[in-house]
Amino acid sequence: MSRITSKNPGTGSPVVIRDATEQDLSRMASDMIRYLPDGLFPHLGNHFVRRWMKTFLTERFGIALVAVSDDEQPIGFLIGSTNQVRHIADVLANQKWGLLLSGLAALSIRPRVLLHFLGTRARPYARRLLGRTASPVSSDRVIPSPAVITSLVVLPDRRGEGIGVFLMDAFLKRATADHARLAELATAAGAKGAGKFYEKHGWTCVEQRFSKDGMATSIYHRYLQ
């Protein structure tokens, strides 16, 4: 993706949206751990989160975007996929052993996280990571699947300036170009989540469920085509 420059409507200063690079991953991981701490992955530490985020750079259907200010300072990021089913299949085919070893190393030095993992996720993760990988699918065949925004973070002192909208719009344009018909995301339900933000920008809450950690979560959809 070429660099996309948008004018901040509040300040008039430019905001650049560009593809993330490996050099961005450490900062992105730190920001995710700090500002999106729910779920398992943030509790596995910066090294694992960087390793996981890298899959969004290397796999065909992954997207990793960074928002930077006019002085090139990172002020937000988004990771997701334009086809969630294919992205997960590609990650399992190409990256599962590296992710497995990195995850085991992280769990081995975090006994409380390990106990929580064993009680909430061990069986489904074992089936997914250690199960037989599906047969490769030819590159010209795309399995129908929603595009999914996995994480969207804007630094607290830059919120309310439209940066999240710039990141989201760049993602949706890429998803549309990749023939996705539906986009999906999850956020914490109620005041803890960003549901009002997404509803303001055309997303519809279609379901509420509890995560494996017992947190109430809202699922949002937005049709693209």
mmCIF file of all heavy atoms in Angstrom, residues 29 32-33 36-52 99-117 121 125 129:
data_model
loop_
_atom_site.group_PDB
_atom_site.id
_atom_site.type_symbol
_atom_site.label_atom_id
_atom_site.label_comp_id
_atom_site.label_asym_id
_atom_site.label_seq_id
_atom_site.Cartn_x
_atom_site.Cartn_y
_atom_site.Cartn_z
ATOM 1 N N ALA A 29 3.215 -3.886 19.519
ATOM 2 C CA ALA A 29 2.968 -4.886 20.560
ATOM 3 C C ALA A 29 2.841 -4.227 21.925
ATOM 4 O O ALA A 29 1.957 -4.566 22.720
ATOM 5 C CB ALA A 29 4.088 -5.922 20.556
ATOM 6 N N MET A 32 -0.496 -2.512 22.163
ATOM 7 C CA MET A 32 -1.598 -3.457 22.331
ATOM 8 C C MET A 32 -1.658 -3.969 23.764
ATOM 9 O O MET A 32 -2.732 -4.043 24.373
ATOM 10 C CB MET A 32 -1.448 -4.625 21.358
ATOM 11 C CG MET A 32 -2.546 -5.665 21.524
ATOM 12 S SD MET A 32 -2.396 -7.025 20.359
ATOM 13 C CE MET A 32 -3.598 -8.168 21.063
ATOM 14 N N ILE A 33 -0.509 -4.329 24.315
ATOM 15 C CA ILE A 33 -0.468 -4.845 25.685
ATOM 16 C C ILE A 33 -0.971 -3.790 26.672
ATOM 17 O O ILE A 33 -1.675 -4.098 27.638
ATOM 18 C CB ILE A 33 0.960 -5.291 26.032
ATOM 19 C CG1 ILE A 33 1.333 -6.543 25.221
ATOM 20 C CG2 ILE A 33 1.109 -5.563 27.517
ATOM 21 C CD1 ILE A 33 2.794 -6.889 25.260
ATOM 22 N N LEU A 36 -4.991 -2.622 24.990
ATOM 23 C CA LEU A 36 -5.957 -3.696 24.750
ATOM 24 C C LEU A 36 -5.512 -4.927 25.536
ATOM 25 O O LEU A 36 -5.118 -5.947 24.959
ATOM 26 C CB LEU A 36 -6.042 -4.020 23.253
ATOM 27 C CG LEU A 36 -6.674 -2.977 22.330
ATOM 28 C CD1 LEU A 36 -6.604 -3.452 20.879
ATOM 29 C CD2 LEU A 36 -8.113 -2.678 22.725
ATOM 30 N N PRO A 37 -5.571 -4.857 26.859
ATOM 31 C CA PRO A 37 -4.974 -5.921 27.674
ATOM 32 C C PRO A 37 -5.830 -7.166 27.839
ATOM 33 O O PRO A 37 -5.364 -8.148 28.425
ATOM 34 C CB PRO A 37 -4.781 -5.227 29.037
ATOM 35 C CG PRO A 37 -5.914 -4.244 29.095
ATOM 36 C CD PRO A 37 -6.099 -3.751 27.677
ATOM 37 N N ASP A 38 -7.077 -7.133 27.358
ATOM 38 C CA ASP A 38 -7.955 -8.289 27.560
ATOM 39 C C ASP A 38 -7.576 -9.433 26.628
ATOM 40 O O ASP A 38 -7.039 -9.227 25.544
ATOM 41 C CB ASP A 38 -9.406 -7.883 27.320
ATOM 42 C CG ASP A 38 -9.893 -6.838 28.319
ATOM 43 O OD1 ASP A 38 -9.579 -6.986 29.514
ATOM 44 O OD2 ASP A 38 -10.558 -5.880 27.901
ATOM 45 N N GLY A 39 -7.904 -10.649 27.054
ATOM 46 C CA GLY A 39 -7.582 -11.821 26.251
ATOM 47 C C GLY A 39 -6.246 -12.426 26.641
ATOM 48 O O GLY A 39 -5.512 -11.909 27.486
ATOM 49 N N LEU A 40 -5.908 -13.524 25.987
ATOM 50 C CA LEU A 40 -4.691 -14.266 26.323
ATOM 51 C C LEU A 40 -3.428 -13.613 25.793
ATOM 52 O O LEU A 40 -2.438 -13.455 26.528
ATOM 53 C CB LEU A 40 -4.793 -15.693 25.772
ATOM 54 C CG LEU A 40 -3.534 -16.551 25.918
ATOM 55 C CD1 LEU A 40 -3.226 -16.821 27.384
ATOM 56 C CD2 LEU A 40 -3.667 -17.850 25.131
ATOM 57 N N PHE A 41 -3.407 -13.245 24.528
ATOM 58 C CA PHE A 41 -2.153 -12.843 23.887
ATOM 59 C C PHE A 41 -1.427 -11.700 24.594
ATOM 60 O O PHE A 41 -0.201 -11.756 24.745
ATOM 61 C CB PHE A 41 -2.395 -12.503 22.421
ATOM 62 C CG PHE A 41 -2.631 -13.712 21.539
ATOM 63 C CD1 PHE A 41 -2.717 -14.988 22.085
ATOM 64 C CD2 PHE A 41 -2.770 -13.575 20.171
ATOM 65 C CE1 PHE A 41 -2.938 -16.101 21.291
ATOM 66 C CE2 PHE A 41 -2.987 -14.690 19.366
ATOM 67 C CZ PHE A 41 -3.080 -15.944 19.928
ATOM 68 N N PRO A 42 -2.110 -10.630 25.026
ATOM 69 C CA PRO A 42 -1.364 -9.556 25.706
ATOM 70 C C PRO A 42 -0.636 -10.020 26.963
ATOM 71 O O PRO A 42 0.378 -9.434 27.348
ATOM 72 C CB PRO A 42 -2.462 -8.531 26.040
ATOM 73 C CG PRO A 42 -3.520 -8.775 25.032
ATOM 74 C CD PRO A 42 -3.518 -10.254 24.806
ATOM 75 N N HIS A 43 -1.124 -11.100 27.575
ATOM 76 C CA HIS A 43 -0.493 -11.603 28.796
ATOM 77 C C HIS A 43 0.715 -12.501 28.499
ATOM 78 O O HIS A 43 1.395 -12.933 29.437
ATOM 79 C CB HIS A 43 -1.514 -12.365 29.629
ATOM 80 C CG HIS A 43 -2.616 -11.495 30.154
ATOM 81 N ND1 HIS A 43 -2.469 -10.670 31.243
ATOM 82 C CD2 HIS A 43 -3.874 -11.296 29.700
ATOM 83 C CE1 HIS A 43 -3.597 -10.010 31.464
ATOM 84 N NE2 HIS A 43 -4.460 -10.367 30.541
ATOM 85 N N LEU A 44 0.984 -12.750 27.226
ATOM 86 C CA LEU A 44 2.139 -13.573 26.864
ATOM 87 C C LEU A 44 3.384 -12.741 26.589
ATOM 88 O O LEU A 44 4.444 -13.292 26.279
ATOM 89 C CB LEU A 44 1.807 -14.435 25.644
ATOM 90 C CG LEU A 44 0.693 -15.471 25.860
ATOM 91 C CD1 LEU A 44 0.439 -16.253 24.579
ATOM 92 C CD2 LEU A 44 1.034 -16.412 27.006
ATOM 93 N N GLY A 45 3.280 -11.427 26.680
ATOM 94 C CA GLY A 45 4.468 -10.590 26.577
ATOM 95 C C GLY A 45 4.754 -10.072 25.181
ATOM 96 O O GLY A 45 4.202 -10.538 24.177
ATOM 97 N N ASN A 46 5.658 -9.096 25.143
ATOM 98 C CA ASN A 46 5.951 -8.384 23.904
ATOM 99 C C ASN A 46 6.518 -9.303 22.828
ATOM 100 O O ASN A 46 6.172 -9.176 21.653
ATOM 101 C CB ASN A 46 6.921 -7.242 24.192
ATOM 102 C CG ASN A 46 7.076 -6.285 23.034
ATOM 103 O OD1 ASN A 46 7.711 -6.606 22.029
ATOM 104 N ND2 ASN A 46 6.522 -5.092 23.175
ATOM 105 N N HIS A 47 7.386 -10.221 23.215
ATOM 106 C CA HIS A 47 8.028 -11.083 22.220
ATOM 107 C C HIS A 47 6.992 -11.921 21.476
ATOM 108 O O HIS A 47 7.011 -12.009 20.237
ATOM 109 C CB HIS A 47 9.051 -11.997 22.884
ATOM 110 C CG HIS A 47 9.798 -12.858 21.917
ATOM 111 N ND1 HIS A 47 9.348 -14.110 21.545
ATOM 112 C CD2 HIS A 47 10.948 -12.645 21.224
ATOM 113 C CE1 HIS A 47 10.191 -14.639 20.677
ATOM 114 N NE2 HIS A 47 11.164 -13.776 20.457
ATOM 115 N N PHE A 48 6.064 -12.546 22.219
ATOM 116 C CA PHE A 48 5.050 -13.360 21.543
ATOM 117 C C PHE A 48 4.131 -12.490 20.711
ATOM 118 O O PHE A 48 3.779 -12.851 19.574
ATOM 119 C CB PHE A 48 4.227 -14.161 22.548
ATOM 120 C CG PHE A 48 3.110 -14.914 21.875
ATOM 121 C CD1 PHE A 48 3.348 -16.143 21.284
ATOM 122 C CD2 PHE A 48 1.837 -14.365 21.791
ATOM 123 C CE1 PHE A 48 2.327 -16.824 20.623
ATOM 124 C CE2 PHE A 48 0.812 -15.041 21.136
ATOM 125 C CZ PHE A 48 1.062 -16.270 20.548
ATOM 126 N N VAL A 49 3.691 -11.358 21.243
ATOM 127 C CA VAL A 49 2.765 -10.509 20.497
ATOM 128 C C VAL A 49 3.409 -10.027 19.199
ATOM 129 O O VAL A 49 2.765 -9.988 18.149
ATOM 130 C CB VAL A 49 2.293 -9.320 21.357
ATOM 131 C CG1 VAL A 49 1.437 -8.359 20.533
ATOM 132 C CG2 VAL A 49 1.487 -9.829 22.552
ATOM 133 N N ARG A 50 4.712 -9.687 19.248
ATOM 134 C CA ARG A 50 5.414 -9.310 18.016
ATOM 135 C C ARG A 50 5.400 -10.463 17.027
ATOM 136 O O ARG A 50 5.173 -10.261 15.834
ATOM 137 C CB ARG A 50 6.862 -8.916 18.309
ATOM 138 C CG ARG A 50 7.036 -7.630 19.034
ATOM 139 C CD ARG A 50 8.443 -7.078 18.851
ATOM 140 N NE ARG A 50 9.502 -8.049 18.985
ATOM 141 C CZ ARG A 50 10.108 -8.368 20.122
ATOM 142 N NH1 ARG A 50 9.736 -7.791 21.256
ATOM 143 N NH2 ARG A 50 11.079 -9.244 20.147
ATOM 144 N N ARG A 51 5.670 -11.651 17.506
ATOM 145 C CA ARG A 51 5.708 -12.836 16.630
ATOM 146 C C ARG A 51 4.343 -13.071 15.983
ATOM 147 O O ARG A 51 4.254 -13.388 14.796
ATOM 148 C CB ARG A 51 6.125 -14.058 17.464
ATOM 149 C CG ARG A 51 6.243 -15.354 16.676
ATOM 150 C CD ARG A 51 7.435 -15.311 15.740
ATOM 151 N NE ARG A 51 7.533 -16.519 14.955
ATOM 152 C CZ ARG A 51 6.771 -16.821 13.896
ATOM 153 N NH1 ARG A 51 5.827 -15.971 13.511
ATOM 154 N NH2 ARG A 51 6.940 -17.939 13.237
ATOM 155 N N TRP A 52 3.289 -12.918 16.773
ATOM 156 C CA TRP A 52 1.936 -13.097 16.248
ATOM 157 C C TRP A 52 1.580 -11.982 15.264
ATOM 158 O O TRP A 52 1.043 -12.242 14.191
ATOM 159 C CB TRP A 52 0.959 -13.111 17.417
ATOM 160 C CG TRP A 52 -0.481 -13.010 17.033
ATOM 161 C CD1 TRP A 52 -1.229 -13.919 16.335
ATOM 162 C CD2 TRP A 52 -1.360 -11.922 17.331
ATOM 163 N NE1 TRP A 52 -2.515 -13.467 16.188
ATOM 164 C CE2 TRP A 52 -2.623 -12.248 16.795
ATOM 165 C CE3 TRP A 52 -1.196 -10.719 18.018
ATOM 166 C CZ2 TRP A 52 -3.716 -11.395 16.913
ATOM 167 C CZ3 TRP A 52 -2.279 -9.876 18.145
ATOM 168 C CH2 TRP A 52 -3.523 -10.215 17.586
ATOM 169 N N LEU A 99 4.902 -20.081 16.152
ATOM 170 C CA LEU A 99 3.985 -19.523 17.135
ATOM 171 C C LEU A 99 3.838 -20.438 18.347
ATOM 172 O O LEU A 99 3.782 -19.973 19.487
ATOM 173 C CB LEU A 99 2.616 -19.297 16.489
ATOM 174 C CG LEU A 99 2.491 -18.089 15.555
ATOM 175 C CD1 LEU A 99 1.156 -18.138 14.835
ATOM 176 C CD2 LEU A 99 2.629 -16.791 16.330
ATOM 177 N N LEU A 100 3.780 -21.743 18.092
ATOM 178 C CA LEU A 100 3.649 -22.695 19.193
ATOM 179 C C LEU A 100 4.841 -22.613 20.129
ATOM 180 O O LEU A 100 4.681 -22.524 21.355
ATOM 181 C CB LEU A 100 3.502 -24.112 18.636
ATOM 182 C CG LEU A 100 3.427 -25.238 19.673
ATOM 183 C CD1 LEU A 100 2.221 -25.050 20.573
ATOM 184 C CD2 LEU A 100 3.375 -26.588 18.978
ATOM 185 N N LEU A 101 6.041 -22.632 19.594
ATOM 186 C CA LEU A 101 7.242 -22.564 20.434
ATOM 187 C C LEU A 101 7.317 -21.239 21.189
ATOM 188 O O LEU A 101 7.677 -21.202 22.368
ATOM 189 C CB LEU A 101 8.485 -22.769 19.578
ATOM 190 C CG LEU A 101 8.650 -24.167 18.974
ATOM 191 C CD1 LEU A 101 9.847 -24.203 18.036
ATOM 192 C CD2 LEU A 101 8.808 -25.210 20.079
ATOM 193 N N SER A 102 6.970 -20.140 20.505
ATOM 194 C CA SER A 102 6.988 -18.839 21.161
ATOM 195 C C SER A 102 5.957 -18.774 22.277
ATOM 196 O O SER A 102 6.220 -18.253 23.366
ATOM 197 C CB SER A 102 6.728 -17.738 20.127
ATOM 198 O OG SER A 102 6.768 -16.463 20.719
ATOM 199 N N GLY A 103 4.770 -19.341 22.029
ATOM 200 C CA GLY A 103 3.738 -19.349 23.055
ATOM 201 C C GLY A 103 4.110 -20.210 24.251
ATOM 202 O O GLY A 103 3.894 -19.819 25.400
ATOM 203 N N LEU A 104 4.688 -21.376 23.993
ATOM 204 C CA LEU A 104 5.109 -22.244 25.092
ATOM 205 C C LEU A 104 6.210 -21.589 25.927
ATOM 206 O O LEU A 104 6.223 -21.698 27.156
ATOM 207 C CB LEU A 104 5.582 -23.585 24.544
ATOM 208 C CG LEU A 104 4.494 -24.492 23.954
ATOM 209 C CD1 LEU A 104 5.112 -25.730 23.326
ATOM 210 C CD2 LEU A 104 3.469 -24.875 25.025
ATOM 211 N N ALA A 105 7.133 -20.917 25.255
ATOM 212 C CA ALA A 105 8.191 -20.214 25.985
ATOM 213 C C ALA A 105 7.612 -19.118 26.875
ATOM 214 O O ALA A 105 8.037 -18.939 28.023
ATOM 215 C CB ALA A 105 9.199 -19.625 25.001
ATOM 216 N N ALA A 106 6.627 -18.395 26.353
ATOM 217 C CA ALA A 106 5.998 -17.333 27.144
ATOM 218 C C ALA A 106 5.234 -17.908 28.331
ATOM 219 O O ALA A 106 5.303 -17.382 29.452
ATOM 220 C CB ALA A 106 5.067 -16.512 26.252
ATOM 221 N N LEU A 107 4.512 -19.004 28.112
ATOM 222 C CA LEU A 107 3.749 -19.616 29.201
ATOM 223 C C LEU A 107 4.666 -20.199 30.278
ATOM 224 O O LEU A 107 4.321 -20.187 31.463
ATOM 225 C CB LEU A 107 2.838 -20.710 28.646
ATOM 226 C CG LEU A 107 1.620 -20.248 27.840
ATOM 227 C CD1 LEU A 107 0.974 -21.431 27.148
ATOM 228 C CD2 LEU A 107 0.621 -19.533 28.734
ATOM 229 N N SER A 108 5.816 -20.707 29.877
ATOM 230 C CA SER A 108 6.706 -21.380 30.825
ATOM 231 C C SER A 108 7.238 -20.446 31.901
ATOM 232 O O SER A 108 7.630 -20.901 32.985
ATOM 233 C CB SER A 108 7.874 -22.036 30.078
ATOM 234 O OG SER A 108 8.755 -21.039 29.564
ATOM 235 N N ILE A 109 7.272 -19.165 31.641
ATOM 236 C CA ILE A 109 7.772 -18.202 32.637
ATOM 237 C C ILE A 109 6.634 -17.374 33.249
ATOM 238 O O ILE A 109 6.889 -16.411 33.970
ATOM 239 C CB ILE A 109 8.831 -17.262 32.029
ATOM 240 C CG1 ILE A 109 8.254 -16.471 30.851
ATOM 241 C CG2 ILE A 109 10.065 -18.053 31.598
ATOM 242 C CD1 ILE A 109 9.209 -15.424 30.298
ATOM 243 N N ARG A 110 5.397 -17.779 32.960
ATOM 244 C CA ARG A 110 4.227 -17.085 33.501
ATOM 245 C C ARG A 110 3.259 -18.129 34.056
ATOM 246 O O ARG A 110 2.251 -18.448 33.433
ATOM 247 C CB ARG A 110 3.551 -16.241 32.400
ATOM 248 C CG ARG A 110 4.426 -15.101 31.892
ATOM 249 C CD ARG A 110 3.807 -14.436 30.658
ATOM 250 N NE ARG A 110 4.540 -13.243 30.266
ATOM 251 C CZ ARG A 110 5.619 -13.262 29.475
ATOM 252 N NH1 ARG A 110 6.070 -14.436 29.015
ATOM 253 N NH2 ARG A 110 6.230 -12.148 29.168
ATOM 254 N N PRO A 111 3.538 -18.667 35.231
ATOM 255 C CA PRO A 111 2.738 -19.795 35.747
ATOM 256 C C PRO A 111 1.257 -19.468 35.915
ATOM 257 O O PRO A 111 0.407 -20.319 35.670
ATOM 258 C CB PRO A 111 3.398 -20.131 37.090
ATOM 259 C CG PRO A 111 4.242 -18.946 37.427
ATOM 260 C CD PRO A 111 4.654 -18.338 36.141
ATOM 261 N N ARG A 112 0.919 -18.254 36.315
ATOM 262 C CA ARG A 112 -0.488 -17.917 36.481
ATOM 263 C C ARG A 112 -1.206 -17.902 35.123
ATOM 264 O O ARG A 112 -2.336 -18.374 35.010
ATOM 265 C CB ARG A 112 -0.640 -16.554 37.159
ATOM 266 C CG ARG A 112 -0.226 -16.545 38.628
ATOM 267 C CD ARG A 112 -0.511 -15.194 39.257
ATOM 268 N NE ARG A 112 -0.140 -15.166 40.656
ATOM 269 C CZ ARG A 112 -0.283 -14.111 41.449
ATOM 270 N NH1 ARG A 112 -0.791 -12.989 40.950
ATOM 271 N NH2 ARG A 112 0.075 -14.170 42.716
ATOM 272 N N VAL A 113 -0.540 -17.366 34.121
ATOM 273 C CA VAL A 113 -1.125 -17.357 32.781
ATOM 274 C C VAL A 113 -1.245 -18.779 32.262
ATOM 275 O O VAL A 113 -2.236 -19.141 31.610
ATOM 276 C CB VAL A 113 -0.279 -16.486 31.824
ATOM 277 C CG1 VAL A 113 -0.891 -16.478 30.418
ATOM 278 C CG2 VAL A 113 -0.166 -15.065 32.349
ATOM 279 N N LEU A 114 -0.251 -19.618 32.566
ATOM 280 C CA LEU A 114 -0.291 -21.018 32.144
ATOM 281 C C LEU A 114 -1.499 -21.735 32.751
ATOM 282 O O LEU A 114 -2.222 -22.456 32.047
ATOM 283 C CB LEU A 114 0.999 -21.723 32.557
ATOM 284 C CG LEU A 114 1.046 -23.240 32.316
ATOM 285 C CD1 LEU A 114 0.858 -23.566 30.836
ATOM 286 C CD2 LEU A 114 2.362 -23.816 32.833
ATOM 287 N N LEU A 115 -1.738 -21.543 34.040
ATOM 288 C CA LEU A 115 -2.877 -22.194 34.677
ATOM 289 C C LEU A 115 -4.195 -21.721 34.065
ATOM 290 O O LEU A 115 -5.110 -22.524 33.838
ATOM 291 C CB LEU A 115 -2.863 -21.910 36.186
ATOM 292 C CG LEU A 115 -1.776 -22.627 36.990
ATOM 293 C CD1 LEU A 115 -1.789 -22.151 38.435
ATOM 294 C CD2 LEU A 115 -1.961 -24.143 36.925
ATOM 295 N N HIS A 116 -4.272 -20.433 33.794
ATOM 296 C CA HIS A 116 -5.478 -19.890 33.167
ATOM 297 C C HIS A 116 -5.649 -20.467 31.762
ATOM 298 O O HIS A 116 -6.764 -20.831 31.362
ATOM 299 C CB HIS A 116 -5.389 -18.366 33.106
ATOM 300 C CG HIS A 116 -6.613 -17.720 32.536
ATOM 301 N ND1 HIS A 116 -7.820 -17.688 33.203
ATOM 302 C CD2 HIS A 116 -6.819 -17.081 31.354
ATOM 303 C CE1 HIS A 116 -8.712 -17.058 32.457
ATOM 304 N NE2 HIS A 116 -8.136 -16.692 31.331
ATOM 305 N N PHE A 117 -4.555 -20.569 31.025
ATOM 306 C CA PHE A 117 -4.604 -21.136 29.681
ATOM 307 C C PHE A 117 -5.083 -22.582 29.711
ATOM 308 O O PHE A 117 -5.930 -22.995 28.897
ATOM 309 C CB PHE A 117 -3.221 -21.050 29.047
ATOM 310 C CG PHE A 117 -3.085 -21.803 27.756
ATOM 311 C CD1 PHE A 117 -3.575 -21.270 26.572
ATOM 312 C CD2 PHE A 117 -2.483 -23.052 27.725
ATOM 313 C CE1 PHE A 117 -3.458 -21.967 25.379
ATOM 314 C CE2 PHE A 117 -2.367 -23.754 26.538
ATOM 315 C CZ PHE A 117 -2.858 -23.202 25.366
ATOM 316 N N ARG A 121 -8.302 -22.625 27.427
ATOM 317 C CA ARG A 121 -8.004 -22.660 25.998
ATOM 318 C C ARG A 121 -7.183 -23.857 25.533
ATOM 319 O O ARG A 121 -6.997 -24.035 24.331
ATOM 320 C CB ARG A 121 -7.244 -21.392 25.599
ATOM 321 C CG ARG A 121 -8.062 -20.111 25.723
ATOM 322 C CD ARG A 121 -7.168 -18.915 25.472
ATOM 323 N NE ARG A 121 -7.894 -17.668 25.384
ATOM 324 C CZ ARG A 121 -8.260 -16.942 26.419
ATOM 325 N NH1 ARG A 121 -7.969 -17.340 27.646
ATOM 326 N NH2 ARG A 121 -8.917 -15.796 26.246
ATOM 327 N N TYR A 125 -6.939 -24.904 21.435
ATOM 328 C CA TYR A 125 -5.683 -24.497 20.812
ATOM 329 C C TYR A 125 -4.895 -25.718 20.360
ATOM 330 O O TYR A 125 -4.262 -25.696 19.293
ATOM 331 C CB TYR A 125 -4.850 -23.662 21.794
ATOM 332 C CG TYR A 125 -5.179 -22.199 21.753
ATOM 333 C CD1 TYR A 125 -6.480 -21.745 21.940
ATOM 334 C CD2 TYR A 125 -4.187 -21.251 21.534
ATOM 335 C CE1 TYR A 125 -6.786 -20.401 21.910
ATOM 336 C CE2 TYR A 125 -4.489 -19.895 21.504
ATOM 337 C CZ TYR A 125 -5.794 -19.479 21.697
ATOM 338 O OH TYR A 125 -6.089 -18.145 21.656
ATOM 339 N N LEU A 129 -3.662 -26.107 16.602
ATOM 340 C CA LEU A 129 -2.239 -26.023 16.288
ATOM 341 C C LEU A 129 -1.624 -27.382 15.960
ATOM 342 O O LEU A 129 -0.727 -27.475 15.123
ATOM 343 C CB LEU A 129 -1.476 -25.397 17.458
ATOM 344 C CG LEU A 129 -1.692 -23.893 17.661
ATOM 345 C CD1 LEU A 129 -1.039 -23.434 18.947
ATOM 346 C CD2 LEU A 129 -1.138 -23.109 16.485
#
